[in-house]
Amino acid sequence: MSEQVYCKYCGTSAPNARSLTANACIRHPDGPGRGKHALYQGDTTGEYVCEFCGKTFPNIKSMTANMCIRHPDGPGKGRHSPAL
């Protein structure tokens, strides 16, 4: 079985980059449905660290579901983002 690839905005998984980036992302920075999934190019591990605040999460999906208090756009104005 091949490895999955993940979206860096929402944590959605797909069997390959082509199928991932062909679909709209609900958590895209431009708004829901206004952009495609973006390939997360970091290591797939059991723990993910937010690049803005350093908080750790067990997977990308749970990370990107939460707002980050240290996001560059301001507290509560952006989601956690995985550090590469």
Side-chain angles (χ1 to χ4, degrees):
M1 185 173 172
S2 65
E3 286 197 31
Q4 296 282 305
V5 294
Y6 299 91
C7 174
K8 70 179 183 178
Y9 301 132
C10 70
T12 296
S13 65
N16 57 57
R18 185 176 183 177
S19 62
L20 178 74
T21 58
N23 297 303
C25 179
I26 61 168
R27 293 194 187 124
H28 192 278
D30 294 338
R34 294 188 173 194
K36 306 261 183 200
H37 291 293
L39 181 63
Y40 168 68
Q41 297 183 354
D43 293 333
T44 53
T45 64
E47 186 175 87
Y48 296 87
V49 179
C50 176
E51 70 175 312
F52 305 125
C53 69
K55 188 172 179 177
T56 59
F57 297 85
N59 56 56
I60 295 174
K61 196 170 213 93
S62 65
M63 172 186 278
T64 58
N66 297 292
M67 302 301 271
C68 180
I69 61 169
R70 294 202 174 122
H71 193 276
D73 293 340
K77 294 189 177 180
R79 299 185 184 276
H80 293 286
S81 181
L84 298 179

